[in-house]
Amino acid sequence: MSTKYVVIIQCDIAHRRCSGFACTSAFYNKEGMFKKYEDGIKYISFTCGGCCGKSVAAKLEHFAKKSRKANKINKDDVVIHLSSCMVTDNHHYDRCPNIKYIKSIVLKKGYKNVIEGSFISKNAEKKREQDVYNSY
């Protein structure tokens, strides 16, 4: 697989309090879930659009059209990360109840490279080990 673009889909509710700085920083510093990516890979982040996540379809279509036209990037060249705020239990709330639906939309839109997770803080990892947060 020749990854040319990484897309992080973030929870719309979490985005109201989170700038996405930690995920972006982890991507550019090649940390955690992003350590396998080479230099020169482009990055973009957007939200699910709110519960139930249905607007992911339109956002992915827009992204596909623009990235294909501007940079000749095909869907196989893209890795979609469903952000940690969506796929894990954390301080603010549990795993997104619509995650299976959102993931099905991503796959239906032709994106085969889907990863659950982005940035996870050391504090959150510690709380999972202590069974304070649920693990999935």
Side-chain angles (χ1 to χ4, degrees):
M1 176 178 70
S2 62
T3 303
K4 296 180 182 172
Y5 234 109
V6 169
V7 174
I8 296 180
I9 300 175
Q10 184 182 17
C11 170
D12 193 69
I13 295 169
H15 188 66
R16 295 175 194 167
R17 63 162 179 75
C18 176
S19 65
F21 179 85
C23 289
T24 302
S25 182
F27 174 79
Y28 285 115
N29 292 327
K30 309 287 187 261
E31 298 169 345
M33 302 290 288
F34 305 110
K35 62 184 168 191
K36 67 179 180 175
Y37 297 118
E38 298 174 9
D39 290 337
I41 295 174
K42 296 180 186 249
Y43 162 92
I44 192 168
S45 174
F46 52 79
T47 74
C48 65
C51 298
C52 65
K54 189 173 182 177
S55 72
V56 165
K59 290 180 179 191
L60 286 174
E61 283 299 316
H62 182 262
F63 171 77
K65 179 181 175 183
K66 295 293 185 180
S67 62
R68 186 176 47 250
K69 186 176 181 181
N71 298 311
K72 295 182 173 69
I73 293 174
N74 296 311
K75 293 177 182 179
D76 289 341
D77 301 326
V78 177
V79 176
I80 306 285
H81 281 261
L82 302 175
S83 65
S84 294
C85 60
M86 293 174 68
V87 301
T88 62
D89 184 15
N90 59 64
H91 174 72
H92 299 282
Y93 37 73
D94 203 348
R95 178 179 169 102
C96 171
N98 301 302
I99 198 66
K100 287 181 183 177
Y101 175 63
I102 293 169
K103 190 173 183 179
S104 74
I105 291 171
V106 173
L107 295 170
K108 185 177 181 179
K109 288 297 173 185
Y111 293 93
K112 298 173 190 146
N113 308 311
V114 183
I115 296 173
E116 289 191 16
S118 53
F119 171 80
I120 297 177
S121 71
K122 292 186 187 326
N123 189 38
E125 287 177 359
K126 187 172 130 182
K127 288 185 177 182
R128 278 187 194 81
E129 290 171 9
Q130 297 169 344
D131 290 328
V132 174
Y133 295 159
N134 292 326
S135 295
Y136 297 95

